[in-house]
Amino acid sequence: MSNRIVGLILLLTILTQVNNNAFSQVNDDDLYIFGFSQIIFNHRQLDSNIYPNTLFPAGYSISSKTSTFALHQVNLFFQKSINNKTTFFLNFEASGSYSSRLPSGEFEIPEGWISFKLNENLLLKTGLLLPKFNNLTEIKNRLPLFPYIIRPIVYETLFSNIFKPEDYKPQNAYVQLSGSNNVFKNYIFDYAFYIGNAENSFLSSIRSNELGAEEENTTLYRGENLNTALLFGGRIGIENFISTKKMGVSFTFDEDNKTKTENSVFRLPQLTTPVLGEVARYRLGVDLSFTIKNFSFESEYMGAFHDHSKIRKKEAFRTAKLNKYFFYGNLTYDFSEKLYAFGYYSTNKDYTYEFVAPNSPSRAGINIISLGGGWRINEVTAFKLQLLRSSLNKNEYLEYNFNMLTVGISTIF
Amino acid sequence: MKTFSLFCFVFILTSVTEPSLLEAQYSEESISIVVHESIETDAINIAQLKAFYTLNTLNWKDGNRIRLADYKGDNYLRIRFYSKLDLTPSKIKKIWLRAQFTGKSIPPNVVNSVAEMIEAVTDLPGTIGYVPTSRVSPDMRILFEISNDL
């Protein structure tokens, strides 16, 4: 027997025998520290063909293949129960093989809040927090909770450089009041209302030299919200905790930052939007999830609707429309306690570039189909495999196919 | 091919859920859901029990936090208990993980044996657990009983 085989057997044995420390005894008064990491390897192939047209007279093709390892994400959580009614929670997150030396990846503190239990049914959270919007926003960075590795596009941090998640959903809030009431047998009505800053692109970034003279004079510190418009949002939902059915409606109101020219998601250099200012925006979300025997289904819809009345007063922007839509549905089947398979589909459409380039790629829509499975090696470690195919609907500018195979190991500690 | 077959063999071996033999002796017995006798609460029904274990009810009537205790692994007691709640160990783990990762609750107290469960319930204030009915001690209060007719 070769050394490689012995090594493989040893690795499997160790992984399946490792103690489950994630669920070990915890006293209420202790500072509780826990976290998770996910390591991935992916191989991806991109084939893109830009057709000759008025914006790109020559047209061109791009084809690339890459293989890479990455420390997809590491999160470290600190939780401290101050008393029966008060809890402190802190989350450190590093993604994309974070290194300040290289530099690569990103590091952030996405959450740091304190919660007060006002009564049995009402909870007040203050601090930097992930608000309740649909089912996934609150847990978007908790990778071990997901059957897949690569999350739906608006949730995946690896794509955040080319795709702005805040175009579809709120990123954070600072005060949230949430509660739940038993309305009738086994059914809980839950609700949350929150307030926070407008989208992150309004935050000042003194070192980036992106500030105008007026902004530079008024900015006190890096990361300050330079907009008086705040985010208001909430979610109301109903859940049957016996049969694990859940649905809800979410909403937000804030302003979309269109104060700078913007490139399209496909980085087509000639395809940009002009400065439109700050545009009032309403986001709507609907989520539905349920479990029937070994099947678990979850789905989400998001729509970002803009008040175009102000920008359409200018003749050049008369047909401007900035709305965006996203849908996602995932079905997981558990073969056993340890083995599962999943498949998800997502699609999103963005009308932002339609008035500067009719039948734009983002208006046509991006479709993603993903299939995969996982093996829960023990209570804290899971091996995951995922195939993902992304393509564009037919449009005048671009044909685009993206295929990715990803394997990963997720560990809770 | 040989390597692949060996890999599959080890994979299947490690994937099979083997209930703990330690608890197999209790497979014919009813299960009692117990708390320390000092906890002032009435008997509960199955929906309330599920609300406790799915973390929809987090506090006792006196405001103190409910501490859940559970067994490690996939032993007979655990599988029967969650089956009565229409859950599986993996489903309950997902619910607890979500609660843990969102700061709603800390994980349950995980024990390795019935003896450790008895110790957790009797020593740690506010703990709720489940034991074979024959192991219920005088300093425990039974809130609910799951018969063995599953």
Side-chain angles (χ1 to χ4, degrees):
Chain A
M1 199 183 298
S2 75
N3 287 341
R4 265 205 322 207
I5 299 170
V6 174
L8 183 65
I9 292 170
L10 275 176
L11 176 69
L12 285 170
T13 309
I14 291 165
L15 282 172
T16 51
Q17 298 303 317
V18 70
N19 278 329
N20 174 13
N21 293 322
F23 293 110
S24 57
Q25 183 177 332
V26 177
N27 289 321
D28 285 358
D29 302 334
D30 293 342
L31 173 64
Y32 178 42
I33 303 171
F34 60 103
F36 67 83
S37 73
Q38 187 159 284
I39 296 162
I40 58 170
F41 170 80
N42 67 41
H43 174 76
R44 57 182 187 265
Q45 180 171 355
L46 168 69
D47 296 302
S48 176
N49 183 22
I50 296 177
Y51 309 133
N53 57 53
T54 48
L55 284 176
F56 314 99
Y60 57 91
S61 296
I62 300 169
S63 190
S64 71
K65 282 183 184 178
T66 59
S67 296
T68 182
F69 283 99
L71 185 53
H72 187 187
Q73 197 172 300
V74 179
N75 281 63
L76 192 59
F77 302 95
F78 298 82
Q79 185 179 339
K80 168 81 178 167
S81 290
I82 295 164
N83 56 44
N84 278 341
K85 296 187 173 180
T86 313
T87 302
F88 176 72
F89 190 84
L90 186 61
N91 175 9
F92 291 112
E93 178 175 314
S95 59
S97 298
Y98 171 72
S99 166
S100 60
R101 185 174 57 83
L102 289 177
S104 67
E106 290 172 334
F107 177 80
E108 67 170 318
I109 302 177
E111 292 161 274
W113 48 259
I114 189 161
S115 69
F116 306 94
K117 199 165 193 174
L118 302 178
N119 60 43
E120 184 57 34
N121 301 318
L122 209 54
L123 189 76
L124 177 69
K125 276 186 187 177
T126 59
L128 182 60
L129 57 97
L130 299 176
K132 285 182 188 285
F133 186 87
N134 279 353
N135 183 36
L136 295 182
T137 301
E138 193 185 24
I139 55 165
K140 64 180 181 181
N141 53 11
R142 274 61 163 174
L143 303 181
L145 295 179
F146 302 128
Y148 36 75
I149 302 166
I150 304 298
R151 289 160 283 188
I153 193 165
V154 300
Y155 290 104
E156 182 50 63
T157 50
L158 291 179
F159 303 150
S160 61
N161 283 336
I162 55 169
F163 198 87
K164 277 171 63 185
E166 57 196 355
D167 280 345
Y168 292 85
K169 59 188 181 53
Q171 290 300 88
N172 41 54
Y174 280 83
V175 181
Q176 177 174 278
L177 187 67
S178 62
S180 61
N181 287 87
N182 212 331
V183 279
F184 51 94
K185 195 184 173 189
N186 305 332
Y187 278 88
I188 290 172
F189 170 69
D190 57 73
Y191 50 90
F193 302 100
Y194 48 85
I195 182 170
N197 287 333
E199 68 172 49
N200 289 334
S201 62
F202 282 115
L203 301 182
S204 66
S205 180
I206 291 170
R207 271 194 263 164
S208 73
N209 297 323
E210 285 179 2
L211 295 177
E214 188 186 342
E215 285 177 337
E216 197 158 2
N217 287 334
T218 53
T219 298
L220 291 176
Y221 58 90
R222 198 174 178 211
E224 182 185 8
N225 183 30
L226 295 177
N227 189 316
T228 53
L230 298 174
L231 163 84
F232 299 92
R235 179 184 181 276
I236 51 173
I238 194 154
E239 180 178 359
N240 183 324
F241 63 86
I242 296 292
S243 56
T244 327
K245 294 185 182 82
K246 186 177 172 182
M247 66 172 296
V249 177
S250 307
F251 53 90
T252 68
F253 172 66
D254 67 352
E255 286 189 347
D256 194 357
N257 188 359
K258 296 291 176 192
T259 56
K260 290 168 189 158
T261 58
E262 207 170 70
N263 272 89
S264 94
V265 64
F266 295 100
R267 297 170 169 177
L268 301 178
Q270 290 89 337
L271 192 53
T272 58
T273 55
V275 170
L276 300 169
E278 293 157 2
V279 187
R281 171 176 58 192
Y282 308 85
R283 285 179 288 212
L284 177 71
V286 179
D287 64 272
L288 171 70
S289 51
F290 56 85
T291 300
I292 298 174
K293 295 195 172 175
N294 288 0
F295 288 97
S296 302
F297 176 76
E298 60 179 32
S299 62
E300 292 199 354
Y301 162 82
M302 293 176 198
F305 306 95
H306 294 73
D307 179 358
H308 302 104
S309 57
K310 214 163 92 180
I311 53 177
R312 283 179 181 167
K313 283 177 184 166
K314 288 187 183 174
E315 185 59 36
F317 306 150
R318 199 156 290 277
T319 58
K321 187 179 177 185
L322 305 174
N323 296 351
K324 298 170 178 63
Y325 308 93
F326 169 78
F327 170 79
Y328 146 79
N330 176 71
L331 185 66
T332 302
Y333 181 78
D334 285 298
F335 295 104
S336 70
E337 285 292 297
K338 290 183 181 286
L339 291 171
Y340 66 86
F342 70 87
Y344 78 65
Y345 168 76
S346 80
T347 184
N348 60 294
K349 290 189 176 186
D350 180 352
Y351 285 79
T352 304
Y353 303 92
E354 197 61 10
F355 78 104
V356 289
N359 197 14
S360 64
S362 49
R363 155 69 181 81
I366 307 167
N367 299 318
I368 294 177
I369 293 174
S370 186
L371 297 170
W375 171 34
R376 300 179 189 103
I377 301 167
N378 55 47
E379 291 205 5
V380 294
T381 312
F383 171 80
K384 301 177 185 178
L385 181 146
Q386 182 174 6
L387 289 163
L388 185 145
R389 180 177 174 80
S390 169
S391 59
L392 267 174
N393 288 331
K394 198 175 177 205
N395 66 89
E396 287 183 12
Y397 301 92
L398 181 66
E399 185 188 357
Y400 161 92
N401 287 298
F402 179 78
N403 296 296
M404 184 155 75
L405 166 69
T406 309
V407 291
I409 291 182
S410 158
T411 308
I412 303 164
F413 51 86
Chain B
M1 190 62 196
K2 218 168 141 184
T3 310
F4 180 72
S5 307
L6 189 64
F7 177 82
C8 289
F9 178 67
V10 174
F11 178 82
I12 290 164
L13 270 185
T14 53
S15 298
V16 170
T17 299
E18 178 60 43
S20 158
L21 292 175
L22 179 71
E23 314 299 345
Q25 59 185 298
Y26 303 119
S27 59
E28 301 298 314
E29 260 195 67
S30 61
I31 299 172
S32 290
I33 286 73
V34 290
V35 292
H36 192 268
E37 61 165 352
S38 64
I39 292 178
E40 292 179 8
T41 186
D42 304 324
I44 56 171
N45 59 34
I46 194 76
Q48 288 170 303
L49 179 62
K50 186 153 184 177
F52 288 164
Y53 271 84
T54 54
L55 305 173
N56 282 294
T57 303
L58 295 171
N59 295 76
W60 297 110
K61 278 180 184 171
D62 62 6
N64 283 319
R65 199 166 289 189
I66 296 170
R67 295 165 185 260
L68 300 177
D70 195 16
Y71 296 96
K72 185 180 174 182
D74 298 316
N75 62 56
Y76 285 114
L77 278 178
R78 195 166 184 237
I79 291 166
R80 278 180 60 206
F81 177 72
Y82 287 119
S83 149
K84 186 70 181 175
L85 299 184
D86 198 22
L87 288 165
T88 62
S90 65
K91 281 179 188 168
I92 199 73
K93 182 192 157 195
K94 200 174 173 186
I95 291 169
W96 287 343
L97 265 183
R98 180 169 179 140
Q100 178 185 344
F101 283 151
T102 52
K104 184 179 177 183
S105 173
I106 56 174
N109 186 0
V110 175
V111 299
N112 291 303
S113 63
V114 174
E116 281 186 26
M117 178 65 85
I118 293 167
E119 197 180 321
V121 170
T122 53
D123 288 0
L124 289 169
T127 300
I128 181 170
Y130 53 98
V131 295
T133 302
S134 65
R135 300 291 301 273
V136 176
S137 61
D139 49 358
M140 289 176 175
R141 184 193 298 268
I142 298 176
L143 298 187
F144 189 79
E145 199 168 340
I146 297 172
S147 60
N148 62 351
D149 57 357
L150 289 172

